[in-house]
Amino acid sequence: MKISNVASIVNTKIDASILTAHTYISTECMLPNCGGIENCSSIPNGKVTGFDKNDILLSNIRPYFKKLWFSTRSGGCSNDVICLRITNGECLPKYLYYALCTDEFIDTFSASSKGTKMPRGDKNALLTYEIPDRNIEDQLHIVDILGSIDEKIENNEQEIRKINDLALCFIAKSNNLNTELKPYIKFIKGKKPIENGSTTAPYLSIDAITSFRYESVYSDDMIMATPFDILMVMDGASSGTVFSHQAGVVSSTIAKIDCSDNIKDYLYWYLLSLKEIIKSRNTGSAIPHANKEYISSLKFDYGFATDIKTINILHSLRTRIIQLQEENKKLQELKGLYLKKFFE
């Protein structure tokens, strides 16, 4: 059945002044690979599209980033976000959402995009896209299976957030900030993929910061990262952002921060605690760049960082986060298999 038979695009406008960072959704705060949303940093003036609970929000800019969200509350979204709403009882909202999470839909919608710098999908192509026509009982069965996977992923993400909060509270106890980072760290920037290289490896790109998205590329003499390495975005809107991820090849917009193992876990959370200050010192106007000189001049508590108790506590916390990330990666892969089975 065509999407237009069961849903419509919402065009109702509301005043943005009634919204908050929690209820306004823009393409910037939508996470790639159906990764959900985060609070927006700013709210525009004027009118925006109003959405309700159980609506489906889809970023219409660069749709290949797969930014979709099944709304759990009402609010407002930018004009670059498409809001879909079920119009009859023949289709469950969550069933339609999962149909749109498939690679087949994203590829089809992306192929309809127009524009080079900021390609936007064709809304008519969206409405004429066909999803499997199933009865409500079958839809409920599919939604239950995929929903249980999503619930487990979200539970793991909540535990990761709690561990991060715990670690940040722990390192906040250190107050003897008299040792400059410069002698202890080295920025090793990644390289561009080399086609027709001798080996293949997972390629860690910017959109992998918040999703478990890999691209297989050929690589020769590339910079490799392990789950315990500290990575920082060096170029672009996310410059200065510190993160860790599963093993892979580091892209040319990311640097691995090399340091001794005894301060690595402390340094990860220390830099994370200063993320807003670090980002405020970015250089460049058109394209922001992380300020390596400023970061190297930061001072830290060397005695606290190298204390055996600190090392053991922070390492155990990072180990647990990596376990949860690996579990979520496998759950995402399982979800992908089910999506193909049910919708492709």
Side-chain angles (χ1 to χ4, degrees):
M1 57 184 171
K2 292 181 180 179
I3 290 178
S4 60
N5 294 335
V6 295
S8 63
I9 295 176
V10 177
N11 292 310
T12 305
K13 299 299 179 182
I14 61 174
D15 200 313
S17 63
I18 67 174
L19 301 173
T20 66
H22 184 63
T23 56
Y24 174 68
I25 308 297
S26 69
T27 59
E28 289 78 14
C29 63
M30 299 182 75
L31 304 179
N33 204 27
C34 305
I37 58 170
E38 58 187 7
N39 285 350
C40 281
S41 57
S42 61
I43 302 171
N45 297 318
K47 301 288 186 178
V48 296
T49 303
F51 66 84
D52 292 335
K53 183 178 180 180
N54 296 332
D55 285 346
I56 301 162
L57 272 58
L58 165 66
S59 173
N60 198 29
I61 294 180
R62 295 173 179 167
Y64 48 81
F65 279 129
K66 210 172 182 179
K67 293 184 176 183
L68 290 103
W69 181 57
F70 186 79
S71 62
T72 57
R73 55 183 177 270
S74 61
C77 59
S78 76
N79 293 329
D80 289 320
V81 176
I82 297 173
C83 177
L84 274 176
R85 182 174 297 164
I86 295 294
T87 55
N88 60 48
E90 296 178 12
C91 182
L92 296 174
K94 205 68 177 285
Y95 178 77
L96 176 57
Y97 165 74
Y98 284 127
L100 302 186
C101 287
T102 61
D103 290 337
E104 182 177 340
F105 166 74
I106 295 298
D107 291 343
T108 301
F109 189 49
S110 297
S112 75
S113 298
K114 296 179 181 179
T116 53
K117 188 175 182 181
M118 299 289 278
R120 288 173 169 81
D122 186 336
K123 294 180 181 179
N124 289 327
L126 166 63
L127 292 174
T128 56
Y129 183 81
E130 295 201 11
I131 64 174
D133 189 357
R134 294 189 172 96
N135 61 46
I136 294 299
E137 286 186 359
D138 288 343
Q139 291 182 38
L140 280 169
H141 177 65
I142 291 170
V143 167
D144 284 344
I145 292 174
L146 294 170
S148 64
I149 297 175
D150 277 344
E151 183 179 6
K152 178 58 178 173
I153 291 172
E154 177 55 29
N155 289 339
N156 287 348
E157 290 295 336
Q158 288 181 8
E159 184 175 348
I160 289 173
R161 289 191 288 268
K162 289 179 180 178
I163 293 172
N164 274 325
D165 290 342
L166 180 63
L168 290 172
C169 288
F170 179 74
I171 68 164
K173 297 177 181 178
S174 62
N175 51 22
N176 190 22
L177 307 178
N178 59 4
T179 305
E180 195 173 77
L181 278 176
K182 188 173 183 178
Y184 298 95
I185 64 173
K186 179 181 179 182
F187 291 87
I188 305 176
K189 197 167 184 180
K191 301 179 180 179
K192 292 183 178 179
I194 302 174
E195 294 191 11
N196 302 319
S198 60
T199 59
T200 60
Y203 185 59
L204 183 56
S205 56
I206 274 186
D207 68 323
I209 295 173
T210 51
S211 68
F212 295 95
R213 182 174 180 175
Y214 290 106
E215 299 174 25
S216 294
V217 299
Y218 289 100
S219 56
D220 249 352
D221 191 29
M222 303 296 279
I223 305 300
M224 301 296 296
T226 70
F228 283 99
D229 282 326
I230 304 169
L231 303 173
M232 177 177 283
V233 181
M234 303 304 292
D235 305 297
S238 300
S239 293
T241 301
V242 176
F243 67 104
S244 61
H245 210 273
Q246 302 301 314
V249 174
V250 182
S251 77
S252 57
T253 57
I254 294 171
K256 179 169 70 172
I257 300 181
D258 195 29
C259 65
S260 61
D261 288 340
N262 67 335
I263 66 167
K264 185 173 287 186
D265 298 316
Y266 168 88
L267 184 60
Y268 168 73
W269 272 297
Y270 176 64
L271 293 176
L272 194 63
S273 71
L274 299 174
K275 62 180 180 179
E276 295 303 327
I277 296 175
I278 291 173
K279 292 181 73 172
S280 71
R281 296 299 185 102
N282 286 345
T283 61
S285 53
I287 300 177
H289 305 285
N291 190 334
K292 293 190 294 185
E293 289 73 22
Y294 172 72
I295 296 167
S296 298
S297 71
L298 291 170
K299 294 183 178 180
F300 73 111
D301 190 335
Y302 181 82
F304 180 85
T306 56
D307 181 76
I308 190 63
K309 179 182 177 181
T310 300
I311 293 171
N312 290 339
I313 289 175
L314 294 182
H315 189 70
S316 65
L317 292 178
R318 283 200 79 194
T319 299
R320 178 56 181 160
I321 284 180
I322 288 168
Q323 290 172 345
L324 292 167
Q325 288 177 332
E326 180 60 31
E327 183 177 347
N328 273 1
K329 179 174 177 289
K330 292 178 180 178
L331 287 168
Q332 292 283 9
E333 291 170 351
L334 176 62
K335 180 181 174 181
L337 292 175
Y338 273 118
L339 287 172
K340 286 184 178 181
K341 175 182 178 181
F342 294 138
F343 296 107
E344 297 183 12

